[in-house]
Amino acid sequence: QVQLVESGGGSVQAGASLRLSCAASGRTISSYAMGWFRQAPGKEREFVARIRWSGGYTYYADSVKGRFTISRDNAKNTVYLQMNSLKPEDTAVYYCAAGPVVGVTSIRYDYWGQGTQVTVSS
Protein backbone atom coordinates (compact mmCIF):
# COMPACT_ATOMS: atom_id res chain seq x y z
CA GLN A 1 0.00 0.00 0.00
CA VAL A 2 1.23 3.46 -0.88
CA GLN A 3 0.05 6.66 0.74
CA LEU A 4 0.57 9.89 -1.19
CA VAL A 5 0.38 13.40 0.24
CA GLU A 6 0.56 16.46 -1.99
CA SER A 7 1.71 19.88 -0.83
CA GLY A 8 2.82 23.19 -2.26
CA GLY A 9 -0.43 24.46 -3.67
CA GLY A 10 -1.64 28.00 -3.14
CA SER A 11 -3.05 31.16 -4.66
CA VAL A 12 -0.83 33.08 -7.05
CA GLN A 13 -1.01 35.68 -9.79
CA ALA A 14 -0.74 34.76 -13.44
CA GLY A 15 2.88 34.36 -14.49
CA ALA A 16 4.01 33.10 -11.10
CA SER A 17 5.54 29.73 -10.26
CA LEU A 18 4.69 26.99 -7.80
CA ARG A 19 6.35 23.73 -6.96
CA LEU A 20 4.13 20.87 -5.92
CA SER A 21 5.50 17.96 -3.94
CA CYS A 22 4.08 14.49 -3.51
CA ALA A 23 5.51 12.57 -0.58
CA ALA A 24 4.98 8.83 -0.49
CA SER A 25 4.91 6.55 2.49
CA GLY A 26 4.08 2.95 3.18
CA ARG A 27 6.19 1.60 0.37
CA THR A 28 9.00 2.89 -1.75
CA ILE A 29 7.81 4.43 -5.00
CA SER A 30 11.07 3.70 -6.80
CA SER A 31 9.42 0.96 -8.86
CA TYR A 32 6.27 2.94 -9.65
CA ALA A 33 5.43 5.23 -12.49
CA MET A 34 4.16 8.54 -11.15
CA GLY A 35 1.70 10.97 -12.61
CA TRP A 36 0.11 14.31 -11.92
CA PHE A 37 -3.51 15.00 -12.75
CA ARG A 38 -5.77 17.96 -12.11
CA GLN A 39 -9.46 18.64 -11.81
CA ALA A 40 -11.04 22.04 -12.26
CA PRO A 41 -14.53 22.84 -10.92
CA GLY A 42 -17.20 21.30 -13.12
CA LYS A 43 -14.65 19.44 -15.24
CA GLU A 44 -13.34 15.93 -15.41
CA ARG A 45 -9.96 14.99 -14.01
CA GLU A 46 -7.29 15.43 -16.66
CA PHE A 47 -3.76 14.22 -17.16
CA VAL A 48 -0.95 16.72 -16.60
CA ALA A 49 2.40 14.89 -16.57
CA ARG A 50 3.96 11.49 -15.96
CA ILE A 51 7.39 10.06 -15.27
CA ARG A 52 8.70 6.53 -15.37
CA TRP A 53 10.09 4.80 -12.30
CA SER A 54 13.66 5.47 -13.40
CA GLY A 55 13.10 9.21 -13.73
CA GLY A 56 13.19 9.26 -17.48
CA TYR A 57 10.52 9.16 -20.15
CA THR A 58 8.60 12.21 -19.04
CA TYR A 59 5.48 13.19 -20.92
CA TYR A 60 3.19 16.21 -20.65
CA ALA A 61 -0.22 17.36 -21.67
CA ASP A 62 -0.04 19.86 -24.50
CA SER A 63 -1.60 22.50 -22.26
CA VAL A 64 1.38 22.48 -19.88
CA LYS A 65 4.25 21.49 -22.15
CA GLY A 66 7.14 23.89 -21.84
CA ARG A 67 5.82 25.37 -18.59
CA PHE A 68 5.62 22.41 -16.20
CA THR A 69 8.35 19.94 -15.27
CA ILE A 70 7.85 16.64 -13.49
CA SER A 71 10.73 15.10 -11.57
CA ARG A 72 11.32 12.57 -8.86
CA ASP A 73 13.76 11.82 -6.08
CA ASN A 74 13.45 8.14 -5.28
CA ALA A 75 15.82 8.50 -2.34
CA LYS A 76 13.33 10.91 -0.77
CA ASN A 77 10.30 8.98 -2.01
CA THR A 78 9.02 12.22 -3.48
CA VAL A 79 7.75 13.46 -6.83
CA TYR A 80 7.64 17.09 -7.86
CA LEU A 81 5.78 19.25 -10.32
CA GLN A 82 7.46 22.56 -11.07
CA MET A 83 4.89 24.91 -12.57
CA ASN A 84 6.08 28.08 -14.25
CA SER A 85 4.25 30.82 -16.13
CA LEU A 86 1.00 29.86 -14.48
CA LYS A 87 -2.24 30.83 -16.16
CA PRO A 88 -5.77 31.20 -14.76
CA GLU A 89 -6.76 28.09 -16.68
CA ASP A 90 -4.28 26.11 -14.56
CA THR A 91 -6.58 26.61 -11.57
CA ALA A 92 -7.55 23.18 -10.27
CA VAL A 93 -7.00 20.62 -7.58
CA TYR A 94 -3.80 18.78 -8.42
CA TYR A 95 -3.41 15.10 -7.60
CA CYS A 96 -0.40 12.83 -7.74
CA ALA A 97 -0.78 9.16 -8.49
CA ALA A 98 1.33 6.00 -8.53
CA GLY A 99 0.96 2.99 -10.78
CA PRO A 100 2.86 0.03 -12.20
CA VAL A 101 3.27 1.53 -15.67
CA VAL A 102 3.25 5.01 -17.17
CA GLY A 103 -0.01 6.21 -18.63
CA VAL A 104 -2.13 9.26 -19.36
CA THR A 105 -5.40 7.87 -18.07
CA SER A 106 -6.35 7.70 -14.43
CA ILE A 107 -7.20 4.03 -14.68
CA ARG A 108 -3.47 3.27 -15.05
CA TYR A 109 -2.80 4.44 -11.50
CA ASP A 110 -3.55 2.50 -8.35
CA TYR A 111 -2.79 5.03 -5.63
CA TRP A 112 -3.87 8.65 -5.31
CA GLY A 113 -3.23 11.55 -3.01
CA GLN A 114 -5.92 13.80 -1.57
CA GLY A 115 -5.03 16.71 -3.83
CA THR A 116 -3.74 20.25 -3.36
CA GLN A 117 -5.50 23.37 -4.59
CA VAL A 118 -3.84 25.68 -7.07
CA THR A 119 -5.56 28.96 -7.82
CA VAL A 120 -4.21 31.37 -10.41
CA SER A 121 -5.73 34.82 -10.71
CA SER A 122 -5.38 37.18 -13.63
Side-chain angles (χ1 to χ4, degrees), residues 11-30:
S11 296
V12 297
Q13 296 281 333
S17 298
L18 282 174
R19 188 195 197 199
L20 304 184
S21 298
C22 174
S25 62
R27 292 183 63 179
T28 178
I29 59 168
S30 59

Side-chain angles (χ1 to χ4, degrees), residues 32-105:
Y32 286 90
M34 300 297 296
W36 284 96
F37 290 75
R38 66 187 182 186
Q39 187 166 19
K43 295 187 177 181
E44 294 187 354
R45 188 172 299 187
E46 65 173 2
F47 166 78
V48 175
R50 71 178 193 211
I51 188 169
R52 198 164 60 178
W53 67 270
S54 62
Y57 194 40
T58 56
Y59 184 78
Y60 301 90
D62 287 343
S63 60
V64 307
K65 199 174 297 182
R67 299 187 298 122
F68 290 12
T69 303
I70 187 172
S71 61
R72 66 190 298 162
D73 186 337
N74 287 339
K76 295 183 178 180
N77 233 24
T78 301
V79 178
Y80 305 96
L81 185 68
Q82 177 67 43
M83 307 187 295
N84 298 328
S85 302
L86 282 161
K87 304 176 180 179
E89 51 263 45
D90 294 319
T91 295
V93 177
Y94 283 71
Y95 300 89
C96 72
V101 294
V102 290
V104 298
T105 56

